């Protein structure tokens, strides 16, 4: 499409990228409580599963938000529970803590809703790669897409919805203890 | 006829001493033997009828290492076909689920209908000399339905599924019923949750491991004040110090290798609705309470039996969740998990249950994550030649097996102390028998734990 971006658009893009990179640092530095602060209280954190279906029938590839199972189907309360579990020192799947690196790329703004002080809500799509290295030699890699809705709250961006599409059918890792 | 284990098998599994060799979790030779002796001869869980409601509907499943197509044919019969073309062996169906009356092999186009029959053969007219297409259908498994669940075996000589259950049928049925106690009212939520884990398929079996929770799942009690199913618990209770018999709770096993936990029901037992899990979701709590009242009217005391037994070899339950441990190599397992709800439940109830299941079970489940960590770590720590020579200990309460025989409570099964390794001993003993036995004649279980003929349910002392 190669349309020229306005200064406002460039500024917004940089703002969003900075938000996402900062978020990745919080996760990779195990600063989970600060990471939770990036979510609105009504946030939804959702990771559908991907089925092998006919290419004529791709609308059925992702499991749906109602009546289907998913890898994750969280609100802020259950995300808090997961963080509290990690902090007990006896959550064996993360004791000791895994080494994790989040890579975020292909950041694009999909759409936004306007307000007087600029966009009130924006949808952002990106690719992610999450690398986990655990104990001596255990490795997992997850690659996929993320679609976030960011909402401006008191002059700061917060995540009100995160949809995570992991490019796997059978999950090739023994468990999912880290955040995406 | 009771099978006596030969010395080499007894060396692997010794129920008298309560020991099991670590070899059975790593040996490729034993694994190959398992594929033949255990997985090719046992009844295996492959799915549920709610996954394939219409003719032509199909889902993929597995039997041992091999893929199968579970489908409903034009006559409404459930068929289970090996997903391997009879021509050159190619995988025929490449979709997890769908609807099709013609599964076309992508290599040369041999085409099969939902019952596995070869219905189209390219180049047939001049290419084959009167080939009998009837002989070249997809390999069919024997299929039996049990309250909507689908079971299959490759063995023509295996007993009926009912006989295979050995009296555990009432427990298995209890897990498959609608909350209101009616039959055929359960459905699997969309999306079978599948993941791979580096441990032998037997490690998560049997799943009534009553003595692991206090430490494995300690983080949940400490951080959240909940037990493995999200039920409120007091974190200060240290289970290592309180291993007394919980009121009327037992580990229950069958000579056929099936294992479970059973609480002797009493009419005033609280239902799941009153467990505290749903206190912040009154709509769900009210739904469960209302349906459970109907269940009590319909089933009486049996309403409280919602057991979900682990059926030998690789099927197990957690609440209303079925998980199947598919072997994928000696030290690799692919776990498939099916989540059940009431078919006619309101959307918000189904959604709340789907979220509930996802929070505790599966690869992301706050409960199961820590199980997988231990199953993987024990596998890796059991690999070396020194560790391999050290037998594993299943001796807990070996001197009191079982404390109540069948019918003592007017319930089938062999009842042992809630905190004991009796279920594990029974499982591995059965595994050893099946591994050694030449045929189903030799495999006859050592006695029966079925309810005695004429016995009445719940007429025992219950002490």
């Amino acid at each position: 499409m190669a349309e020229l971006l306005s200064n406002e658009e460039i500024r917004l893009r940089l703002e969003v990228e900075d938000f996402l990179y900062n978020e990745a640092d919080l996760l990779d530095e195990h600063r989970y409580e600060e990471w939770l602060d990036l979510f609105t209280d009504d946030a939804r954190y959702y990771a559908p599963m991907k089925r092998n279906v006919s290419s004529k029938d791709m609308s059925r590839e992702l499991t749906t938000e109602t009546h289907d199972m998913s890898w994750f189907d969280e609100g802020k309360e259950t995300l808090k529970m997961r963080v509290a579990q990690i902090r007990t020192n006896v959550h064996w799947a993360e004791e000791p803590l895994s080494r994790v690196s989040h890579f975020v790329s292909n950041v694009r703004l999909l759409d936004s809703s306007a307000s007087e002080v600029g966009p009130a809500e924006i949808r952002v799509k990106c690719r992610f790669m999450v690398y986990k290295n655990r104990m001596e030699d255990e490795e997992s890699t997850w690659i996929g897409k993320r679609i976030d809705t960011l909402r401006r709250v008191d002059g700061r961006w917060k995540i009100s919805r995160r949809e995570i599409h992991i490019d796997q059918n059978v999950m090739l890792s023994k468990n999912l203890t880290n955040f995406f | 006829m009771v099978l006596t284990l030969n010395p080499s098998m007894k060396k692997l599994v010794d129920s008298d001493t309560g020991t099991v060799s670590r070899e059975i979790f790593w040996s490729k030779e034993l694994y190959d033997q398992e594929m033949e002796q255990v997985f090719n001869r046992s009844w295996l869980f492959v799915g549920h009828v709610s996954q394939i409601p219409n003719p032509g509907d199909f889902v993929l499943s597995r039997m041992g290492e091999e893929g199968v197509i579970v489908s409903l044919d034009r006559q409404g019969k459930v068929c289970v076909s090996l997903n391997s073309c009879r021509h050159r062996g190619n995988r025929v169906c490449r979709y997890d689920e769908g609807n099709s009356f013609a599964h076309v092999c992508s290599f040369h186009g041999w085409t099969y209908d939902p019952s596995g029959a070869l219905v189209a053969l390219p180049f047939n007219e001049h290419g084959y000399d009167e080939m009998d297409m009837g002989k070249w259908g997809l390999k069919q498994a024997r299929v039996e339905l049990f309250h909507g669940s689908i079971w299959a075996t490759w063995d023509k000589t295996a007993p009926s599924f009912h006989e295979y259950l050995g009296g555990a049928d009432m427990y298995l049925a209890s897990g498959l019923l609608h909350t209101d106690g009616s039959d055929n009212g359960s459905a699997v939520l969309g999306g079978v949750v599948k993941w791979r884990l580096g441990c032998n398929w037997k490690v998560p079996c049997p799943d009534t491991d009553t003595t692991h929770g206090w430490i494995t799942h300690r983080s949940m009690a400490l951080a959240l004040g909940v037990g493995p199913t999200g039920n409120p618990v007091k974190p200060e209770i240290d289970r290592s110090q309180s291993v007394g018999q919980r009121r009327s709770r037992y580990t229950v096993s069958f000579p056929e290798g099936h294992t479970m936990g059973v609480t002797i029901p009493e009419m005033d037992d609280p239902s799941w609705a009153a467990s505290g899990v749903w206190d912040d979701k009154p709509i769900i709590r009210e739904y469960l309470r209302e349906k459970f009242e109907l269940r009590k009217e319909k089933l009486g005391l049996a309403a409280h039996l919602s057991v979900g037994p682990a059926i030998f070899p690789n099927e197990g339950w957690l609440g209303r969740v079925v998980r199947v441990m598919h072997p994928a190599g000696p030290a690799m397992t692919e776990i498939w998990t099916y989540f059940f709800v009431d078919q006619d439940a309101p959307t918000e109830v189904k959604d709340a249950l789907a979220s509930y299941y996802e929070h505790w079970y599966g690869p992301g489940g706050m409960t199961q994550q820590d199980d997988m960590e231990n199953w993987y770590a024990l596998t890796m720590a059991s690999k070396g030649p020194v560790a391999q020579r050290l037998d594993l200990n299943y001796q807990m309460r070996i001197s009191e097996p079982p404390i109540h025989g069948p019918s003592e409570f007017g319930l089938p099964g062999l009842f042992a102390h809630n905190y004991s390794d009796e279920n594990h001993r029974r499982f591995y003993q059965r595994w050893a028998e099946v591994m050694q036995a030449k045929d189903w004649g030799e495999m006859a279980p050592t006695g029966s734990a079925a309810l005695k003929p004429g016995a009445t349910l719940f007429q025992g002392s219950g002490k």
Side-chain angles (χ1 to χ4, degrees):
Chain A
M1 54 177 208
E3 278 175 44
L4 292 177
L5 297 175
S6 69
N7 283 347
E8 287 72 24
E9 285 166 330
I10 291 167
R11 188 192 155 86
L12 185 59
R13 170 85 62 101
L14 285 172
E15 218 172 277
V16 166
E17 285 180 359
D18 197 53
F19 177 87
L20 296 176
Y21 299 157
N22 174 58
E23 187 205 353
D25 272 348
L26 294 180
L27 283 174
D28 296 347
E29 292 164 12
H30 311 298
R31 292 155 66 188
Y32 302 121
E33 289 77 6
E34 291 170 69
W35 176 74
L36 285 171
D37 276 344
L38 301 182
F39 287 85
T40 62
D41 288 341
D42 63 348
R44 187 161 165 78
Y45 177 97
Y46 172 65
M49 301 191 295
K50 288 193 171 188
R51 294 180 274 221
N52 295 310
V53 293
S54 163
S55 56
K56 285 189 303 197
D57 206 12
M58 286 301 279
S59 63
R60 291 201 33 82
E61 184 194 19
L62 290 171
T63 53
T64 63
E65 266 187 271
T66 51
H67 293 195
D68 281 350
M69 289 305 295
S70 52
W71 300 122
F72 287 109
D73 183 8
E74 307 287 302
K76 190 159 181 179
E77 282 311 306
T78 54
L79 287 176
K80 278 185 190 168
M81 288 162 80
R82 290 176 185 275
V83 169
Q85 188 183 25
I86 291 171
R87 294 302 189 208
T88 59
N89 251 162
V90 290
H91 179 30
W92 310 114
E94 278 298 327
E95 187 57 40
L97 291 168
S98 305
R99 291 165 287 274
V100 180
S101 284
H102 285 72
F103 297 81
V104 175
S105 75
N106 304 37
V107 178
R108 288 185 59 224
L109 308 187
L110 297 182
D111 45 54
S112 60
S113 65
S115 76
E116 284 166 19
V117 290
E121 233 177 37
I122 48 178
R123 282 203 316 137
V124 180
K125 188 173 180 184
C126 68
R127 298 288 184 283
F128 65 82
M129 181 167 88
V130 179
Y131 172 78
K132 176 166 114 174
N133 179 287
R134 174 153 187 73
M135 301 300 284
E136 292 85 5
D137 53 9
E138 213 187 311
E139 289 186 313
S140 293
T141 307
W142 298 273
I143 293 174
K145 294 96 183 165
R146 236 170 41 189
I147 301 161
D148 292 330
T149 304
L150 305 184
R151 188 188 299 161
R152 195 188 290 276
V153 181
D154 300 330
R156 286 177 58 199
W157 290 114
K158 292 214 171 195
I159 303 163
S160 63
R161 181 183 166 84
R162 167 157 294 171
E163 198 169 312
I164 304 149
H165 296 183
I166 303 170
D167 287 336
Q168 296 195 26
N169 174 255
V170 174
M171 180 56 61
L172 299 176
S173 308
K174 74 178 196 295
N175 51 23
L176 289 166
T177 54
N178 49 286
F179 301 107
F180 287 88
Chain B
M1 185 178 67
V2 173
L3 186 72
T4 308
L5 293 186
N6 63 36
S8 63
M9 194 54 73
K10 182 109 177 167
K11 205 165 148 278
L12 298 174
V13 173
D14 192 332
S15 297
D16 298 327
T17 58
T19 52
V20 169
S21 165
R22 303 188 199 207
E23 256 186 77
I24 72 170
F25 302 107
W26 268 107
S27 158
K28 176 72 168 77
E29 198 181 320
L30 287 170
Y31 177 83
D32 291 342
Q33 196 182 334
E34 280 177 334
M35 294 307 105
E36 284 291 347
Q37 299 284 93
V38 179
F39 284 91
N40 283 355
R41 304 197 293 186
S42 300
W43 282 100
L44 304 171
F45 179 94
V46 293
H48 189 264
V49 292
S50 62
Q51 297 177 283
I52 48 169
N54 305 305
D57 283 353
F58 67 87
V59 286
L60 290 191
S61 190
R62 287 177 55 145
M63 293 173 69
E65 279 200 353
E66 294 175 284
V68 292
I69 309 168
V70 180
S71 52
L72 199 66
D73 75 5
R74 278 182 206 280
Q75 285 71 44
K77 191 172 137 237
V78 175
C79 303
V80 176
S81 313
L82 188 70
N83 192 8
S84 176
C85 185
R86 292 296 304 281
H87 183 214
R88 300 286 157 82
N90 191 24
R91 173 192 182 132
V92 175
C93 179
R94 45 182 66 226
Y95 306 123
D96 293 344
E97 57 185 66
N99 181 287
S100 176
F101 288 99
H103 295 284
V104 184
C105 177
S106 58
F107 199 177
H108 301 87
W110 285 35
T111 301
Y112 305 90
D113 76 6
S115 70
L118 180 63
V119 291
L121 184 60
F123 307 101
N124 188 18
E125 208 162 313
H126 303 294
Y128 296 92
D129 297 330
E130 293 171 17
M131 190 178 98
D132 182 357
M133 284 169 66
K135 286 186 178 162
W136 291 91
L138 295 178
K139 165 84 174 167
Q140 292 300 295
R142 268 176 76 190
V143 179
E144 282 199 41
L145 302 184
F146 184 84
H147 296 273
S149 58
I150 307 169
W151 300 79
T153 179
W154 297 118
D155 193 340
K156 289 190 174 70
T157 67
S160 70
F161 182 61
H162 186 264
E163 197 183 322
Y164 183 86
L165 287 174
D169 52 331
M170 63 176 291
Y171 298 124
L172 183 57
S174 75
L176 290 160
L177 296 178
H178 190 287
T179 308
D180 72 10
S182 59
D183 208 354
N184 300 324
S186 289
V188 175
L189 285 166
V192 177
V193 178
K194 308 168 183 177
W195 75 102
R196 256 177 228 175
L197 158 66
C199 73
N200 184 270
W201 67 272
K202 295 184 291 301
V203 171
C205 308
D207 52 16
T208 43
D209 184 352
T210 47
T211 57
H212 82 293
W214 75 274
I215 178 78
T216 296
H217 303 303
R218 193 160 180 73
S219 63
M220 294 172 58
L222 285 176
L224 316 172
V226 299
T229 58
N231 53 308
V233 295
K234 294 189 179 72
E236 64 268 24
I237 294 174
D238 182 344
R239 291 285 171 79
S240 69
Q241 300 304 314
S242 63
V243 290
Q245 175 72 43
R246 262 172 69 196
R247 183 188 68 84
S248 63
R249 175 82 183 165
Y250 297 88
T251 55
V252 175
S253 58
F254 286 79
E256 290 81 0
H258 316 313
T259 55
M260 62 215 73
V262 174
T263 301
I264 307 305
E266 287 175 26
M267 212 51 197
D268 57 354
D269 280 344
S271 75
W272 198 30
S275 66
V277 173
W278 300 106
D279 282 358
D280 60 342
K281 289 202 172 65
I283 294 169
I284 316 300
R285 192 181 56 197
E286 204 41 39
Y287 172 85
L288 293 170
R289 195 196 60 74
E290 192 184 297
K291 298 299 171 193
F292 196 77
E293 286 305 314
L294 294 171
R295 188 182 180 100
K296 283 203 283 191
E297 277 171 32
K298 205 168 290 176
L299 302 175
L301 267 179
H304 293 283
L305 282 181
S306 181
V307 172
I311 300 301
F312 185 86
N314 65 335
E315 185 258 18
W317 289 71
L318 299 156
R320 242 177 133 181
V321 180
V322 166
R323 62 178 183 189
V324 188
M325 276 60 78
H326 294 297
M332 186 60 75
T333 301
E334 195 168 298
I335 304 187
W336 286 29
T337 306
Y338 300 77
F339 298 86
F340 284 91
V341 291
D342 297 337
Q343 183 128 40
D344 58 358
T347 293
E348 56 199 333
V349 172
K350 286 183 180 171
D351 289 351
L353 285 168
S355 299
Y356 164 83
Y357 290 144
E358 175 271 311
H359 292 151
W360 308 117
Y361 307 125
M366 284 185 266
T367 305
Q368 278 207 282
Q369 288 177 356
D370 288 324
D371 286 319
M372 266 93 74
E373 183 74 12
N374 287 331
W375 296 338
Y376 173 75
L378 78 85
T379 300
M380 292 306 150
S382 294
K383 187 182 185 181
V386 177
Q388 283 274 299
R389 288 187 198 105
L390 301 170
D391 287 343
L392 302 178
N393 183 312
Y394 294 93
Q395 296 177 336
M396 194 175 194
R397 286 198 159 83
I398 194 169
S399 57
E400 49 181 85
I403 51 181
H404 298 284
S407 301
E408 176 80 10
F409 306 113
L411 284 168
L414 302 166
F415 285 66
H417 195 285
N418 185 41
Y419 296 113
S420 90
D421 289 333
E422 181 64 9
N423 276 9
H424 288 81
R425 288 190 289 272
R426 189 81 53 184
F427 172 82
Y428 286 117
Q429 174 67 24
R430 184 58 181 162
W431 175 86
E433 288 167 8
V434 174
M435 284 287 277
Q436 182 183 315
K438 283 200 301 288
D439 52 39
W440 271 98
E442 274 194 9
M443 245 188 281
T446 52
S448 167
L451 210 54
K452 292 189 179 77
T456 319
L457 278 179
F458 311 116
Q459 293 304 302
S461 63
K463 291 287 183 288

